[in-house]
Amino acid sequence: MKAFKEDYDTPIRVGQKVAVVGGGNVAMDAARTALRLGAEVNIVYRRSEAELPARVEEVHHAKEEGVILDILTNPTEIIGDENGWVKGMKCVRMELGEPDASGRRKPVVVEGSEFILDVDTVIMSLGTSPNPLISSTTKGLEINKHKCIVAEDETGLTSRAGVYAGGDAVTGAATAILAMGAGKKAANAIDEFLK
C-alpha cells in the first residue's frame, strides 16, 4: 500500500491491490479510477459477465484498461491485519443454478472453492439506496418508504428549513443529468434563501 498522500488536506491512502465488489456502472468507474491511481484492480461479481448490470461499453473499457473481472465470485469475509487495515478478502466461486421467479439464474456456491484474494483495499459498490447516514444524523429530515429524502421538485427544499437535497438521495438511482438539474435548482433556491 502506498503511503498517505501528504499534499491533500485530508490524507488519502491509495491501495496497490484493490477489489471492487459489484458489477454496475459505478463499480466500473471505481475500478477504472483505482487503476488510474496505480492499483491492480479486480472487480468481484457473483454472477456471469453476461449478467453484469453495467453498460457493455463500461465493461469493455474497464477490461481494455486492465481491470481484472473475477466473475462468478462472491466475497464472504474481509480479512484485516492487527492494525485493522485490509490484507485480503475471502471469496468463493459460484455457478449459476436454477432460475428464480424473475427468470434470472440464481448464483450457487461451488463447494470447496474458497480462496483468498490478496488485496489491501475493498470498495463496496452494491445497491442503489441512498446513504442512510444523512437521514439518520439530521433531525427533522423527512424520508419516504424507499429511504429517499423528501424534497420539493422545484427547489429541493426538504422538511428542514435551510436544508436542500437533489439527485439520487431524493429520486433514488437515476441519471447524472437529472442529478445535475436538481443541483442547479437547489443552488438557485439556496441563493434566494441566503439573500
Side-chain angles (χ1 to χ4, degrees):
M1 166 125 1
K2 287 183 184 176
F4 288 99
K5 290 197 170 229
E6 300 297 335
D7 54 338
Y8 294 100
D9 290 337
T10 302
I12 298 172
R13 190 168 187 179
V14 179
Q16 291 296 289
K17 293 185 177 185
V18 175
V20 177
V21 180
N25 291 328
V26 173
M28 298 302 148
D29 288 344
R32 292 171 71 194
T33 299
L35 189 75
R36 292 171 188 167
L37 288 171
E40 176 184 304
V41 182
N42 293 64
I43 287 181
V44 179
Y45 184 63
R46 69 189 185 125
R47 294 182 186 271
S48 71
E49 185 172 345
E51 296 173 294
L52 283 166
R55 294 180 59 195
V56 173
E57 303 85 24
E58 292 287 340
V59 176
H60 171 77
H61 293 306
K63 287 168 55 178
E64 189 175 64
E65 287 185 40
V67 171
I68 301 161
L69 291 184
D70 280 317
I71 55 165
L72 291 168
T73 301
N74 199 36
T76 59
E77 180 182 346
I78 297 173
I79 304 165
D81 66 15
E82 62 280 351
N83 297 314
W85 294 105
V86 173
K87 71 174 189 178
M89 186 168 68
K90 285 186 185 177
C91 299
V92 292
R93 297 284 180 206
M94 308 295 284
E95 61 186 6
L96 295 178
E98 294 300 314
D100 61 18
S102 70
R104 198 170 180 201
R105 291 176 64 192
K106 182 179 179 182
V108 179
V109 174
V110 174
E111 294 303 321
S113 65
E114 297 82 9
F115 68 99
I116 295 176
L117 189 60
D118 179 27
V119 295
D120 58 23
T121 303
V122 177
I123 300 171
M124 301 303 283
S125 183
L126 302 168
T128 56
S129 300
N131 186 335
L133 185 62
I134 298 167
S135 59
S136 67
T137 59
T138 309
K139 291 186 190 302
L141 195 61
E142 183 184 351
I143 58 173
N144 64 22
K145 67 180 180 179
H146 303 291
K147 303 204 184 316
C148 294
I149 299 168
V150 175
E152 294 177 7
D153 283 342
E154 290 306 310
T155 64
L157 180 62
T158 68
S159 57
R160 186 161 169 186
V163 176
Y164 296 80
D168 293 3
V170 173
T171 61
T175 64
I177 195 69
L178 288 175
M180 290 168 31
K184 185 176 179 180
K185 287 177 185 177
N188 288 332
I190 292 166
D191 185 51
E192 289 299 316
F193 175 78
L194 294 173
K195 286 179 183 175

